[in-house]
Amino acid sequence: MGEFDLIKRFFARASTPLQPGVALGVGDDCAVLAPPAPGAQWLVSSDMLVEGRHFLATVAPERLGHKALAVNLSDLAACGATPRAFTLALALPRADEAFLAGFARGLFALADAHGIALVGGDTTAGPLNICITVMGEAPAGQVLLRSGARAGDDLYVSGSLGDARLALEVFRGSVALERGADFEAARRAMECPTPRVALGLALRGLASSAIDVSDGLLGDLGHILARSGVGATVQADALPRSALLAGQPLALQRLCTLSGGDDYELLFSAPPAARDAVLAAAAASATPVTRIGRLEAEPGLRLRDAAGAALDWSEPSFDHFKVS
Ligand code: ADP
Ligand code: MG
């Protein structure tokens, strides 16, 4: 199968109805997109997935296709943008038809769920590497940024944190967990994250800042604090987590929820006067949100444990959880 057959067979979907703003998709030298509606702006983001670094070779191709697009949609969600279209640049060691069919199935299932079309890309031989660029739009002035948080604002996170990291530690062999339904749920969190697009849209005009949690809560919160010029206190042991994670040793729970990575939840701030409106946005988007702390004028990040005492937490080494 040559490069052009491969593109035609797996990625050029003639049946896809063109989305608003997409004048021409796959097949020519460029995709052709109309400018967004008057008063709206384009938002563009790219995320690359590299085998061994962002996913394990054992992941099912369908889940990999889902995740490659999901992590990109998560960036649009964090900005409160409506997804419109995406491109796919793909390096493949070989044209493996079963892999490509599965990958395309997972990719397009998520694309269809958000009504967006694949409008172009590039395909080459090489070590497995997936780079997607998403395009979305939002009304000018309503884009959610990392820089808008104010001292006194509440801090919230969507969904739950830490399951993806828990599954990763099981795969690494540093945590022992029975491979039952509970483990499958954690594995799904790692391999099949849900981008919080509906919540991001519902938070437009409400949240003062937002970011998606891809590198761990503490690191990503650090970006909001740095860009907004504020500090924060976070209730570390009140971070939302699954029943599975809540049943693990406390140090492991903290590792997974505080610095987990691959959560793809939204971390955002809003003034206390907006509490009811935030709950309404969560309900309208069918996405749970939890208030986890507060932004303060004093720079730095302070953690509190369940008893309200200051928690001096630094990431333990992996060996800490090694089952001997
Ligand atoms: P060019 O040589 O002009 O860069 P290509 O031969 O690489 O174009 O690609 C031909 C067409 O197929 C283009 O419209 C391009 O956007 C599209 N395309 C290539 N690879 C992919 C892919 N992985 N997914 C979607 N479209 C792709
Ligand atoms: Mg060309």
Side-chain angles (χ1 to χ4, degrees), residues 95-121:
D96 178 333
E97 299 194 16
F99 172 89
L100 281 161
F103 180 85
R105 208 164 41 243
L107 180 82
F108 285 119
L110 185 61
D112 291 347
H114 291 274
I116 58 173
L118 175 60
V119 297

Side-chain angles (χ1 to χ4, degrees), residues 89-139:
L90 197 57
L92 295 164
R94 70 201 77 81
D96 178 333
E97 299 194 16
F99 172 89
L100 281 161
F103 180 85
R105 208 164 41 243
L107 180 82
F108 285 119
L110 185 61
D112 291 347
H114 291 274
I116 58 173
L118 175 60
V119 297
D122 197 23
T123 307
T124 176
L128 184 55
N129 190 325
I130 305 153
C131 182
I132 287 182
T133 298
V134 282
M135 285 147 274
E137 65 174 85

Side-chain angles (χ1 to χ4, degrees), residues 11 47-72 86 88 90-93 98-108 110 127-132 187-188 190-193 262:
F11 299 117
D47 252 311
M48 184 148 62
L49 268 67
V50 176
E51 183 173 315
R53 182 149 194 97
H54 301 100
F55 60 92
L56 303 172
T58 50
V59 66
E62 190 161 353
R63 288 192 168 183
L64 187 58
H66 171 101
K67 184 168 179 175
L69 182 56
V71 303
N72 277 278
F86 67 107
L88 167 67
L90 197 57
L92 295 164
F99 172 89
L100 281 161
F103 180 85
R105 208 164 41 243
L107 180 82
F108 285 119
L110 185 61
L128 184 55
N129 190 325
I130 305 153
C131 182
I132 287 182
R187 180 180 188 167
R188 201 173 317 113
M190 176 176 89
E191 296 179 341
C192 227
D262 262 6

Side-chain angles (χ1 to χ4, degrees), residues 291-324:
R291 187 148 52 87
I292 62 166
R294 208 182 43 187
L295 296 171
E296 295 154 349
E298 186 190 345
L301 176 52
R302 292 157 288 279
L303 297 177
R304 303 246 163 233
D305 68 12
L311 175 67
D312 184 15
W313 194 87
S314 57
E315 181 163 341
S317 70
F318 298 147
D319 282 355
H320 194 80
F321 306 111
K322 190 111 193 151
V323 273
S324 43

Side-chain angles (χ1 to χ4, degrees), residues 20-241:
V22 181
L24 182 65
V26 172
D28 215 301
D29 291 308
C30 293
V32 182
L33 306 183
Q41 293 176 321
W42 280 117
L43 288 89
V44 179
S45 176
S46 295
D47 252 311
M48 184 148 62
L49 268 67
V50 176
E51 183 173 315
R53 182 149 194 97
H54 301 100
F55 60 92
L56 303 172
T58 50
V59 66
E62 190 161 353
R63 288 192 168 183
L64 187 58
H66 171 101
K67 184 168 179 175
L69 182 56
V71 303
N72 277 278
L73 288 174
S74 181
D75 285 320
L76 287 181
C79 288
T82 304
R84 287 293 183 218
F86 67 107
T87 62
L88 167 67
L90 197 57
L92 295 164
R94 70 201 77 81
D96 178 333
E97 299 194 16
F99 172 89
L100 281 161
F103 180 85
R105 208 164 41 243
L107 180 82
F108 285 119
L110 185 61
D112 291 347
H114 291 274
I116 58 173
L118 175 60
V119 297
D122 197 23
T123 307
T124 176
L128 184 55
N129 190 325
I130 305 153
C131 182
I132 287 182
T133 298
V134 282
M135 285 147 274
E137 65 174 85
Q142 286 192 31
V143 176
L144 304 178
L145 299 174
R146 301 174 179 186
S147 52
R150 297 275 173 274
D153 284 354
D154 294 320
L155 194 60
Y156 299 84
V157 72
S158 67
S160 64
L161 298 168
D163 272 0
R165 179 61 177 267
L166 180 63
L168 181 63
E169 295 300 334
V170 172
F171 278 114
R172 281 173 168 164
S174 56
V175 171
L177 208 64
E178 269 184 51
R179 302 283 178 120
D182 284 351
F183 170 69
E184 279 311 314
R187 180 180 188 167
R188 201 173 317 113
M190 176 176 89
E191 296 179 341
C192 227
T194 304
R196 301 300 195 179
V197 173
L199 177 63
L201 291 175
L203 289 174
R204 281 204 308 227
L206 203 57
S208 52
S209 72
I211 190 171
D212 68 318
V213 182
S214 52
D215 297 330
L217 181 87
L218 294 186
D220 289 318
L221 175 55
H223 294 306
I224 287 188
L225 301 186
R227 295 293 289 275
S228 298
V230 293
T233 293
V234 169
Q235 308 300 323
D237 293 330
L239 295 172
R241 67 204 68 187

